[in-house]
């Protein structure tokens, strides 16, 4: 019998709620004034018994006064620390420490599966490594109280109906006018935060130079490139503080370690012949300062703090009762954001999008199927949110032709390359979800598009939807990111401006250390990466799969991203 569909999971909701809402501490280090400067808290997980210990670490690192008023929580840096239960307790004694920067709209929780698998695989081979999944400072604004309750209805009531949880009432999502302190959370502050965290946690610079591997996923590869080329003491002649001297190597997960967003499109262009004198940079900074521009990467619908929270709420339902019939679409309020988002994600064609009929609430779906519809590469039309977690089951499906028709030659890369499907019978059978490791089984209906193309096959399904649900719902630091700083992405888009170019003090830092590049075979960079990077290709993977894929794949092979990271950690040279 397949273990992924027979394993019973236990939800320790009471303990989880206590840990996540009160922040019970197992370790608190005082600073010179006697104030707490570091906390480390165990993470209670219903994850597999893999011999991996997970904690959430917070280190006090106040921003300069020039950033202005901000919540006290935003003067702390946070990360998820994964280590072997049988390994050393002190990070400095580990054989290697992998430090990972998240991608766009992504939090530390997104690394949960790849971190666990990598640490466990290394321990099985006699190497004790740690994996640190970093959280951006702006994630201090997130409120996980409702999710941490462990109950989907309680979460919805907390975030939408003003009902308290453990005496706390949701204060609402933070609006642009209260985010003035974020207007300088750009690439310079982001890499400085990583440096300050490493220096605080591993004070011995030669040790960092020998043991730390720096990397990231998606946008995190570009952040790593700027970290590698940065100078942190203001004196380029002294190199112990240089970014590349904090790392023994680099790793890139469906990205490249570079200093250009263009690299994420698989091209590395030369500078334009027209010099950038920084006017665009100044105009954008003025727009952020005044609040005319949104200080976070947010849209009125689809991509905003509310919809990012909805993914965790959907994960919570799938985790608690995967095969139960979902009532989430009907239990959610029908506000403009939710209605428009549901139409975009769950409309068969343009007519359904415009009329709202049939709507997602008109279908009978299990909790797993709701999560699959939101994140599977054969359903969600946003490539950077896609993973390969299986397929719909239990009833007929048809082609999803909105927003782009299947097979269209001019299909934008933003939507991904896989054919999209949608349930066909509103009010009909209970649509279930076929897990990644049951695709291709003898009882698989083998759904096909109208043109005869199979929607999927076993070789393209790699992520366990229940483990994805756990990462979304259980992690104390979010899988998704509610408040991504606009300043960070505009800095990277304006990499040719003198204000950003000055940050690249040690350009040779990009090649100073060995690099491992792991690419999703069907991801954002598929077929567009220079061959001289010598990447490891994970076949069938989508953009998120390099983080979420199951330890053992359908054909019995070990998961390639974690396998490559394990080997690289053992010997980066």
């Amino acid at each position: 019998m397949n273990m992924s569909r027979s394993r019973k999971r236990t939800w320790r909701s009471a303990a989880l709620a206590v840990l996540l809402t009160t922040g019970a501490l197992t370790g608190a280090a005082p600073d010179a004034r006697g104030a707490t400067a570091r906390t480390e808290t165990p993470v209670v997980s219903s994850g597999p018994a893999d011999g991996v210990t997970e904690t959430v670490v917070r280190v006090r690192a106040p921003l300069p006064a020039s950033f202005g008023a901000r919540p006290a929580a935003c003067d702390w840096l946070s990360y998820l620390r994964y280590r072997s239960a049988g390994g050393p307790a002190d990070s400095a004694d580990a054989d290697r420490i992998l430090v990972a920067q998240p991608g766009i709209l992504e939090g530390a929780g997104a690394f949960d599966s790849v971190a666990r698998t990598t640490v466990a695989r290394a321990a099985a081979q006699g190497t004790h490594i740690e994996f640190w999944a970093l959280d951006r400072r702006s994630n201090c604004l997130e409120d996980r109280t409702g999710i941490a309750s462990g109950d989907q209805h309680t979460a919805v009531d907390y975030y939408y109906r003003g009902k308290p949880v453990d005496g706390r009432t949701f204060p609402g999502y933070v609006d642009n006018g209260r985010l003035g302190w974020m207007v300088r959370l750009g690439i310079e502050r982001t890499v400085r935060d990583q440096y300050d965290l490493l220096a605080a946690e591993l004070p011995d610079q030669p040790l960092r130079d020998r043991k730390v591997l720096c990397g990231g996923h998606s946008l995190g590869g570009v952040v790593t490139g700027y970290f590698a080329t940065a100078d942190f003491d203001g004196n380029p002649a002294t190199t112990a503080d240089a970014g590349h001297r904090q790392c023994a190597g680099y790793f890139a997960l469906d990205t490249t370690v570079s200093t250009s967003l263009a690299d994420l499109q698989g091209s590395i262009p030369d500078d334009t012949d027209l010099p950038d004198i920084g006017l665009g940079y100044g105009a954008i900074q003025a727009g952020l300062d005044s609040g005319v521009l949104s200080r976070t990467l947010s849209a009125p619908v689809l991509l905003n703090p509310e919809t990012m929270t909805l993914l965790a709420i959907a994960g919570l339902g799938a985790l608690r009762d995967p095969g139960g019939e979902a009532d989430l679409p009907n239990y959610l309020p029908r506000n403009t954001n939710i209605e428009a988002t549901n139409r975009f994600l769950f409309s068969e064609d343009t007519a359904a999008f415009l009329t709202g009929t049939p709507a997602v609430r008109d279908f009978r779906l299990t909790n797993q199927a709701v999560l699959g519809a939101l994140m599977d590469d054969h359903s969600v039309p946003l490539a950077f949110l896609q993973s390969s977690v299986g397929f719909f089951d239990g009833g007929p499906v048809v082609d999803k032709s909105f927003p782009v028709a299947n097979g269209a030659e001019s299909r934008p890369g933003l939507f991904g390359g896989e054919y999209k499907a949608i349930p066909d019978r509103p009010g009909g059978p209970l649509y279930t979800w076929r897990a990644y490791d049951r695709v291709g089984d003898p009882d698989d209906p083998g759904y096909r598009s109208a043109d005869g193309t199979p929607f999927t096959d076993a070789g393209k399904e790699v992520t366990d939807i229940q483990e994805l649900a756990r990462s979304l719902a259980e992690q104390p630091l979010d899988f998704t990111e509610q408040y991504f700083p606009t300043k960070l992405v505009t800095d990277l888009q304006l990499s040719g401006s003198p204000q950003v170019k000055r940050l690249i003090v040690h350009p040779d830092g990009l090649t100073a250390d060995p690099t491992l590049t792991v690419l999703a075979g069907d991801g954002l960079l598929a077929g567009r990466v220079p061959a001289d990077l010598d990447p490891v290709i994970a076949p069938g993977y989508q953009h998120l799969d390099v983080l979420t894929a199951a330890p053992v794949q359908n054909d019995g092979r070990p998961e390639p991203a974690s396998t490559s990271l394990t080997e690289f950690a053992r010997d980066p040279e």
Side-chain angles (χ1 to χ4, degrees):
M1 180 177 290
N2 193 302
M3 289 300 292
S4 74
R5 62 179 186 264
S6 65
R7 184 171 59 226
K8 301 293 184 182
R9 289 175 169 82
T10 302
W11 179 263
R12 306 172 213 178
S13 58
L16 181 64
V18 169
L19 282 171
L20 299 191
T21 59
T22 69
L25 303 180
T26 60
D31 62 15
R33 300 166 297 169
T36 299
R38 182 186 190 275
T39 66
E40 184 164 8
T41 308
V43 176
V44 178
S45 174
S46 62
D50 52 10
V52 175
T53 296
E54 179 188 359
T55 54
V56 57
V57 180
R58 302 186 191 276
V59 176
R60 182 166 168 76
L63 288 168
S66 59
F67 276 71
R70 56 200 175 270
C74 301
D75 277 334
W76 293 71
L77 299 174
S78 303
Y79 68 96
L80 296 175
R81 179 191 178 200
Y82 297 85
R83 65 182 181 87
S84 169
D90 191 335
S91 298
D93 295 328
D95 295 312
R96 200 79 65 187
I97 303 117
L98 283 69
V99 178
Q101 282 279 355
I104 197 167
L105 297 174
E106 192 173 275
F111 289 97
D112 181 63
S113 289
V114 71
R116 285 184 172 278
T117 305
T118 302
V119 170
R121 196 180 302 282
Q125 298 174 5
T127 302
H128 293 299
I129 68 174
E130 295 197 5
F131 195 112
W132 296 2
L134 304 185
D135 221 29
R136 266 182 282 275
R137 185 186 287 269
S138 52
N139 290 344
C140 61
L141 298 170
E142 297 173 354
D143 181 351
R144 288 191 56 82
T145 306
I147 303 298
S149 72
D151 180 80
Q152 193 177 62
H153 281 188
T154 300
V156 173
D157 289 344
Y158 177 77
Y159 294 113
Y160 295 100
R161 297 191 174 97
K163 294 187 178 181
V165 173
D166 294 333
R168 178 181 173 86
T169 302
F170 183 54
Y173 297 105
V174 185
D175 60 50
N176 200 50
R178 292 184 288 163
L179 297 174
W181 67 276
M182 287 182 59
V183 301
R184 283 173 174 74
L185 285 185
I187 187 61
E188 184 174 17
R189 185 72 242 174
T190 300
V191 298
R192 167 63 68 175
D193 281 350
Q194 180 172 344
Y195 177 82
D196 289 348
L197 180 68
L198 284 173
E201 294 288 87
L202 300 167
D204 183 1
Q205 182 271 327
L207 182 143
R208 298 196 295 271
D209 202 4
R210 294 194 314 271
K211 289 191 175 185
V212 173
L213 300 177
C214 305
H217 173 245
S218 191
L219 188 78
V222 181
V223 173
T224 300
Y226 275 90
F227 182 83
T229 58
D231 186 89
F232 291 103
D233 71 350
N235 181 0
T238 59
T239 59
D241 64 288
H244 66 90
R245 294 288 306 278
Q246 317 311 310
C247 316
Y250 312 126
F251 60 93
L253 301 176
D254 209 35
T255 183
T256 60
V257 175
S258 67
T259 55
S260 172
L261 276 181
D263 290 8
L264 294 181
Q265 301 302 318
S267 60
I268 305 178
D270 295 326
D271 288 342
T272 178
D273 292 334
L274 298 175
D276 186 337
I277 59 175
L279 295 179
Y281 180 98
I284 287 176
Q285 187 63 56
L288 293 172
D289 288 342
S290 66
V292 171
L293 295 179
S294 175
R295 290 153 174 168
T296 63
L297 200 62
S298 184
V301 298
L302 193 61
L303 295 176
N304 52 55
E306 182 179 43
T307 51
M308 293 297 102
T309 303
L310 282 176
L311 290 178
I313 293 175
L316 186 57
L319 190 64
R320 287 296 304 274
D321 187 12
E325 185 166 354
D327 69 351
L328 180 63
N330 282 300
Y331 198 72
L332 287 167
R334 300 187 182 185
N335 64 37
T336 301
N337 182 29
I338 292 175
E339 289 294 289
T341 297
N342 282 341
R343 285 196 195 190
F344 182 83
L345 296 178
F346 209 83
S347 290
E348 176 184 338
D349 51 30
T350 302
F353 175 73
L354 293 175
T355 64
T357 304
V360 62
R361 69 180 66 89
D362 297 324
F363 293 84
R364 298 181 61 212
L365 305 166
T366 64
N367 288 307
Q368 267 191 346
V370 167
L371 181 59
L374 289 172
M375 298 201 69
D376 186 66
D377 57 339
H378 299 289
S379 178
V380 64
L382 296 171
F384 63 90
L385 282 177
Q386 292 176 357
S387 56
S388 306
V389 292
F391 199 74
F392 292 108
D393 207 350
V397 301
V398 293
D399 290 79
K400 186 178 187 296
S401 61
F402 179 85
V404 179
N406 287 332
E409 293 183 3
S410 59
R411 187 181 188 89
L414 171 66
F415 299 125
E418 299 300 320
Y419 275 38
K420 303 298 184 284
I422 192 169
D424 189 38
R425 299 282 174 83
L430 177 63
Y431 282 89
T432 59
W433 192 259
R434 181 168 288 267
Y436 84 104
D437 53 357
R438 292 188 57 233
V439 172
D441 280 2
D443 66 341
D444 187 343
Y447 295 106
R448 291 176 178 267
S449 166
D451 68 8
T453 302
F455 281 111
T456 190
D457 59 59
K460 286 183 172 291
E461 303 301 336
V462 302
T463 290
D464 184 341
I465 194 169
Q466 284 304 104
E467 289 305 298
L468 177 62
R470 185 182 60 76
S471 296
L472 281 163
E474 280 192 0
Q475 293 304 311
L477 303 180
D478 273 338
F479 185 109
T480 55
E481 183 174 27
Q482 297 178 16
Y483 298 97
F484 180 89
T486 301
K487 170 69 171 170
L488 177 54
V489 75
T490 57
D491 276 0
L492 299 180
Q493 287 175 328
L494 296 168
S495 59
S497 69
Q499 297 95 328
V500 179
K501 271 189 171 182
R502 69 176 178 80
L503 303 176
I504 303 175
V505 180
H506 303 285
D508 56 349
L510 287 172
T511 55
D513 297 310
T515 300
L516 168 69
T517 302
V518 180
L519 300 180
D522 294 331
L524 296 181
L525 303 181
R528 300 196 303 271
V529 172
D532 59 4
L533 289 180
D534 192 25
V536 174
I537 306 295
Y541 278 41
Q542 295 294 339
H543 188 54
L544 286 181
D545 289 322
V546 294
L547 306 182
T548 62
V552 179
Q553 293 296 285
N554 275 322
D555 58 3
R557 63 185 170 87
E559 195 282 313
S562 56
T563 298
S564 299
L565 285 170
T566 302
E567 294 172 354
F568 189 63
R570 185 173 59 248
D571 184 12
E573 297 299 331

